[in-house]
Amino acid sequence: MPTYDFIIIGAGSAGCVLANRLSANGRHKVLLLEAGGHDLNLWIWMPIGYGKTFYNSRVNWMYQTEPDAGTDGRRSYWPRGKVLGGSSAINAMVYIRGHASDFDGWENLGNPGWGWQDVLPYFKKSETNDLGGDALRGGQGPLHVSTMERDLHPLCDTFIQAGTQSGLPRNADFNGQTNEGFGLYQNTVRDGLRMSAARAYLRPARKRKNLQVETHALATRILFEGKKAIGIEYQQHGKRIQAFTSSDVILSAGAINSPQLLQLSGIGHAKHLSTLDIPIVHDAPGVGQNLQDHLCIDYLYRSRVPTLNNQLSPWWGKLLHGMRYVLTRRGPLSLGVNQAGAFIRSRDGLEKANMQLFFSPVSYTKAPPGKRPLMNPDPFPGFLLSAQPTRPTSRGHLEIRSSDPFEAPAIHPNYLSTRHDVDEMMEGAAFLRKLAAAPALAEVIEAELAPGPHIRSPEDLLADIRQRSGTVFHPAGTCRMGPDAGADVVDHRLRVHGIDGLRVVDVSIFPTLTTGNTNAPAIMVGEKASDLILEDNQGT
């Protein structure tokens, strides 16, 4: 049976980092398993192509949640990457680290070494910012982060102007000294091509003889001797294969698949696992709990001036910009649609921003559920203003339905289940209308199409939020890091409580959601975890 120093489950944002860093010294033999396939796909590499990959089962798990009371009994569509690069290969590429207080909060919850000053070096280590490195930004890392200003739609400036007219500052760098204000988003893009974790970290490491990458390899259970993880069993092309480790099995399968695999392997709430006839290895009630996600509300406007709709809706527009992209890697196909945004305080008395805004100079009102056909937008000029509270207090959970590793788990988001979250969504919606009324935007708005000007009362506004709000695709927290072995899943060195030789390294370890998009923090976790693991294996 093959034996490795480290076995990594999942070639996503953190898993690709681990594969690179743990194999870099040439001494450690590393196996990386990915349930999906290769990332040689036009729609992955073309930045705007994520509108296609969002609904492509070849690269996407395409999860559906259970009906959720907070959103009028609707199911939410949760795309998650099933491909080299994981969700970094199909996301919207917005690069946001989060607020310093997010990480200080993690440390204050009993996780030493995870405060802002501890994690900042790992953010910098991971990054090459196209504006250069400084005290806060990296300049020599594998992950290229680009300023997209040269190809952005001119309405982005209109959006920012409306923000300043509303009394808020312009912000040149959301990852700089402060995140507050209106500005342009940076993307994980280089030379007009998506910079996924696979491109940044895995591709440079693939030629190393001590790194073995297996695709279409679905991990089905962790192997144990007593309470020590000794290997993994996986299925590949219809065959059942086992691999063993002399050190660590590392789960980097994400907020859904990492807790799923733990439960399938007998680590979870014993009462639930026993109903599925799964042998209990360790009673860990926290596995699959603490599920958090960012929820967003969009307001749709018909524009008096051209938007991306005018460029990408007609066939000749698709052809023209397709040819431009092929020849120059420039134009609207070279970036995502969340082009500008803001971090704001939605009410007085707050010490920091609690709301993230997105501006998209495009609209798609007839999209199928869960699908965003970004290159087939509405036939009229339109744009979207969106608001997302950054620190939701609602908590959901997920659990496996059976012992079948091919069956998706039951996901219960429990959206809008606290008064705090309801109030903040209402505040976000109110601010969007205030912003739309600012002179710069009011001048270009012909009509509010959704929810529509007739939706005015608090009751109607809340009903609209429950009917139309949707995920921003940031699930996290399901293998929470913390010191309580009875409620938390991993300790501050990301070792699973009660089990030797097993770690979790991905967004599932987040004690709380970070302020904004989660891909940059996921990569940071991979960087920091690599050092922790190598420290614990010195001399091996």
Side-chain angles (χ1 to χ4, degrees):
M1 295 292 182
T3 300
Y4 303 84
D5 294 291
F6 305 111
I7 299 176
I8 305 164
I9 312 303
S13 297
C16 287
V17 178
L18 289 166
N20 182 305
R21 300 304 191 191
L22 297 182
S23 64
N25 62 21
R27 298 196 309 269
H28 296 126
K29 189 176 180 182
V30 179
L31 172 64
L32 175 64
L33 301 179
E34 168 54 45
H38 64 74
D39 62 344
L40 300 179
N41 182 313
L42 169 66
W43 304 117
I44 287 176
W45 287 76
M46 180 192 295
I48 206 171
Y50 69 92
K52 295 284 189 180
T53 59
F54 260 40
Y55 217 72
N56 182 348
S57 61
R58 294 178 61 186
V59 298
N60 190 332
W61 289 100
M62 294 175 53
Y63 288 118
Q64 294 276 353
T65 73
E66 298 303 294
D68 193 76
T71 52
D72 276 356
R74 290 184 289 127
R75 295 179 184 270
S76 293
Y77 173 63
W78 282 16
R80 309 307 300 159
K82 186 175 68 172
V83 63
L84 293 178
S87 292
S88 75
I90 67 169
N91 69 355
M93 298 160 291
V94 175
Y95 183 84
I96 294 291
R97 292 175 172 180
H99 195 274
S101 65
D102 297 334
F103 307 99
D104 289 338
W106 289 9
E107 185 169 50
N108 292 337
L109 289 171
N111 298 296
W114 288 90
W116 173 242
Q117 292 303 322
D118 300 300
V119 303
L120 175 59
Y122 291 105
F123 278 117
K124 292 181 65 177
K125 181 181 180 180
S126 70
E127 178 192 19
T128 290
N129 181 10
D130 69 348
L131 298 180
D134 58 27
L136 294 173
R137 304 302 299 269
Q140 297 181 325
L143 184 72
H144 285 254
V145 179
S146 298
T147 305
M148 314 302 294
E149 191 166 5
R150 67 179 187 176
D151 285 317
L152 295 180
H153 195 278
L155 274 177
C156 291
D157 287 334
T158 306
F159 168 81
I160 294 171
Q161 185 181 357
T164 59
Q165 291 169 346
S166 301
L168 295 163
R170 178 163 186 152
N171 190 332
D173 184 1
F174 291 128
N175 299 290
Q177 290 289 345
T178 177
N179 68 345
E180 292 193 52
F182 280 67
L184 304 175
Y185 285 125
Q186 288 188 310
N187 286 177
T188 46
V189 169
R190 184 187 187 190
D191 299 329
L193 298 173
R194 173 187 292 273
M195 176 59 71
S196 69
R199 182 185 179 197
Y201 285 92
L202 188 58
R203 193 166 299 274
R206 287 294 295 270
K207 293 182 180 179
R208 295 175 187 164
K209 294 181 179 180
N210 60 321
L211 173 63
Q212 181 177 338
V213 180
E214 296 290 340
T215 56
H216 301 290
L218 177 70
T220 56
R221 67 184 177 107
I222 303 162
L223 304 175
F224 297 96
E225 281 185 357
K227 290 200 172 186
K228 178 178 173 58
I230 60 169
I232 196 76
E233 184 172 280
Y234 63 98
Q235 289 205 24
Q236 185 181 51
H237 306 307
K239 297 180 179 179
R240 186 174 67 179
I241 304 169
Q242 292 185 341
F244 296 88
T245 176
S246 59
S247 180
D248 286 317
V249 173
I250 308 166
L251 303 191
S252 293
I256 311 303
N257 297 97
S258 283
Q260 178 191 26
L261 184 57
L262 286 175
Q263 292 176 356
L264 288 167
S265 304
I267 301 175
H269 200 302
K271 183 177 180 181
H272 173 62
L273 298 184
S274 63
T275 65
L276 304 176
D277 294 326
I278 293 176
I280 309 301
V281 174
H282 182 64
D283 184 12
V287 174
Q289 301 297 310
N290 195 47
L291 174 60
Q292 304 161 54
D293 188 25
H294 285 138
L295 196 66
C296 181
I297 184 67
D298 296 333
Y299 272 47
L300 168 64
Y301 295 91
R302 187 180 182 108
S303 175
R304 300 180 190 274
V305 299
T307 69
L308 276 180
N309 294 10
N310 300 79
Q311 296 174 261
L312 298 180
S313 182
W315 67 266
W316 52 265
K318 295 181 180 66
L319 177 62
L320 174 66
H321 290 292
M323 292 177 61
R324 182 186 180 191
Y325 178 77
V326 169
L327 294 174
T328 69
R329 292 189 186 155
R330 292 283 305 275
L333 306 191
S334 68
L335 65 164
V337 298
N338 294 321
Q339 297 185 0
F343 287 89
I344 67 164
R345 307 182 200 197
S346 65
R347 61 186 181 277
D348 294 336
L350 295 174
E351 296 182 357
K352 55 200 172 190
N354 68 319
M355 194 75 56
Q356 184 177 9
L357 306 183
F358 297 96
F359 174 72
S360 301
V362 66
S363 66
Y364 26 82
T365 57
K366 296 182 180 180
K371 192 169 184 178
R372 297 188 174 196
L374 304 184
M375 289 187 294
N376 191 26
D378 291 322
F380 57 84
F383 62 83
L384 293 165
L385 301 179
S386 308
Q388 164 196 294
T390 59
R391 299 180 186 87
T393 55
S394 298
R395 297 291 184 267
H397 73 281
L398 66 86
E399 59 189 13
I400 57 174
R401 306 172 194 267
S402 72
S403 59
D404 181 359
F406 292 91
E407 183 174 11
I411 304 170
H412 302 269
N414 207 26
Y415 289 130
L416 300 174
S417 58
T418 66
R419 186 74 245 175
H420 170 275
D421 290 1
V422 170
D423 288 345
E424 289 210 335
M425 286 293 285
M426 293 282 283
E427 292 166 8
F431 186 84
L432 293 181
R433 278 194 167 154
K434 175 184 176 181
L435 186 64
L441 279 174
E443 184 177 345
V444 301
I445 290 175
E446 180 176 312
E448 179 185 290
L449 301 182
H454 62 289
I455 302 297
R456 286 288 171 188
S457 71
E459 295 78 13
D460 288 346
L461 286 167
L462 178 57
D464 175 68
I465 287 169
R466 294 196 186 279
Q467 290 166 10
R468 294 196 307 112
S469 61
T471 176
V472 194
F473 318 112
H474 297 163
T478 48
C479 294
R480 183 174 61 193
M481 175 174 59
D484 184 350
D488 301 317
V489 179
V490 299
D491 66 12
H492 68 282
R493 299 189 75 83
L494 307 186
R495 299 169 298 200
V496 174
H497 287 298
I499 299 291
D500 292 330
L502 182 61
R503 301 187 198 236
V504 181
V505 179
D506 55 38
V507 296
S508 70
I509 65 96
F510 287 15
T512 56
L513 267 173
T514 51
T515 299
N517 307 72
T518 53
N519 186 238
I523 289 171
M524 176 278 291
V525 168
E527 287 278 16
K528 181 172 174 61
S530 298
D531 273 3
L532 294 176
I533 292 166
L534 290 173
E535 286 173 10
D536 289 346
N537 287 273
Q538 288 181 2
T540 63

